[in-house]
Amino acid sequence: MTDTKVPSRVFPRAKQDAETAKHGVSTPQTENPAYRLAFQDMDFLLREDLRPVRFQLELLKPELVLEEANIASTFVFYGSARIPSPDHAAAAVAAAPEGPARAVAESLAAKAHYYEVARELARLASSFPVDEAGKRHFVVCSGGGPSIMEAANRGATDVDAESIGLNIVLPHEQAPNPYVTPRLSLQFHYFALRKMHFLLHARALAAFPGGFGTFDELFELLTLIQTGKIAPIPVLLYGRAFWERVVNFEALCDEGVISHRDLNLFTYVETAQEGWDVVRDFYRDRGDPIVP
């Protein structure tokens, strides 16, 4: 026997069988849903008792996408979807009727500068060099929506870098912002899995003024760090005046429900460079090799 080459596989790939199954003969048996290949049967995959399988798929797919893109770590951006960009702030105020609606529009417009701050911070993070193994670090990751999220993805685009958008299916129609890299634009059904993917590779996080969604994601992260479930990472709170007005952290300490040392879990910052310096110093102080 002179040919010693051993085939890498003997069974056909699933993709091959899927194609074969599409062009099979038509009989009462083959037309019945029971005959469909399990992984091609949407009615089967969407059954209530298949939820654990869907959890697995939604956990696995983004992980494979990021691995294939050589993404080792991310810089996560949270913030309101309602803050206008500086270009649209004045028009938003002018379009609002007099009274409470106008006051709200003015309040949001006053935060418009955070759009540019998020954009510049994303530029700084996206300019971080690739490591010796070809892995990328501090890749911008947002919720994929408008406003602060758009600014983050846009900042990455400014320096010709890819960025991630983690969208979620919502009752009202919505789409990823145009600056998310298409191959890194991911959509989730389960909030729990989306939350996990925000933090699995996060090595820094910036929270800009925001509402329930921002609070939800931010306080979950702070809880995970506080309880030791994950190692500390730099957590940047942009807009000290906003955060101190809407959350009385000192009162939580005074009430005894958190410790004063828990206030060290985050850092108030205002500018993009200030935030990036906090991240850089955090890892330098720990001698982490990913920071030059």
Side-chain angles (χ1 to χ4, degrees), residues 105-177:
E106 290 172 345
S107 177
L108 290 171
K111 300 176 183 65
H113 69 283
Y114 286 119
Y115 184 100
E116 287 302 334
V117 173
R119 185 175 175 182
E120 175 59 23
L121 180 62
R123 290 191 200 108
L124 292 169
S126 299
S127 299
F128 194 83
V130 174
D131 69 17
E132 294 179 355
K135 298 293 185 180
R136 294 186 282 168
H137 295 276
F138 299 120
V139 175
V140 167
C141 176
S142 83
S147 191
I148 296 298
M149 295 172 280
E150 174 188 286
N153 297 116
R154 186 176 181 179
T157 301
D158 288 341
V159 292
D160 297 323
E162 293 189 319
S163 66
I164 304 163
L166 304 183
N167 276 74
I168 185 89
V169 176
L170 297 173
H172 54 276
E173 185 179 353
Q174 52 104 46
N177 70 68

Side-chain angles (χ1 to χ4, degrees), residues 62-277:
E63 191 70 8
L64 293 177
V65 168
L66 266 59
E67 180 181 333
E68 290 169 358
N70 283 327
I71 295 173
S73 69
T74 60
F75 196 133
V76 175
F77 287 68
Y78 294 152
S80 175
R82 303 184 183 189
I83 295 174
S85 67
D87 294 341
H88 297 94
V93 172
E98 292 288 349
R102 175 67 62 89
V104 169
E106 290 172 345
S107 177
L108 290 171
K111 300 176 183 65
H113 69 283
Y114 286 119
Y115 184 100
E116 287 302 334
V117 173
R119 185 175 175 182
E120 175 59 23
L121 180 62
R123 290 191 200 108
L124 292 169
S126 299
S127 299
F128 194 83
V130 174
D131 69 17
E132 294 179 355
K135 298 293 185 180
R136 294 186 282 168
H137 295 276
F138 299 120
V139 175
V140 167
C141 176
S142 83
S147 191
I148 296 298
M149 295 172 280
E150 174 188 286
N153 297 116
R154 186 176 181 179
T157 301
D158 288 341
V159 292
D160 297 323
E162 293 189 319
S163 66
I164 304 163
L166 304 183
N167 276 74
I168 185 89
V169 176
L170 297 173
H172 54 276
E173 185 179 353
Q174 52 104 46
N177 70 68
Y179 301 102
V180 177
T181 302
R183 71 169 180 148
L184 300 177
S185 183
L186 301 163
Q187 184 173 212
F188 291 82
H189 170 65
Y190 298 107
F191 262 107
L193 274 298
R194 181 176 182 248
K195 286 171 176 285
M196 180 173 286
H197 278 291
F198 268 128
L199 299 181
L200 274 175
H201 298 282
R203 296 300 178 267
L205 183 141
F208 290 81
F212 287 158
T214 300
F215 276 58
D216 176 36
E217 305 286 2
L218 171 63
F219 281 91
E220 182 172 51
L221 169 61
L222 293 177
T223 301
L224 290 171
I225 299 175
Q226 180 202 48
T227 57
K229 290 297 291 182
I230 67 173
I233 65 172
V235 179
L236 312 175
L237 298 192
Y238 272 89
R240 183 175 191 137
F242 169 84
W243 289 107
E244 290 189 334
R245 179 169 183 261
V246 298
V247 185
N248 193 332
F249 290 105
E250 290 291 344
L252 292 175
C253 295
D254 294 342
E255 293 290 337
V257 293
I258 67 171
S259 302
H260 278 281
R261 67 174 178 272
D262 292 329
L263 301 184
N264 296 323
L265 298 180
F266 55 83
T267 305
Y268 293 115
V269 289
E270 298 294 336
T271 69
Q273 189 61 56
E274 184 183 6
W276 182 244
D277 288 345

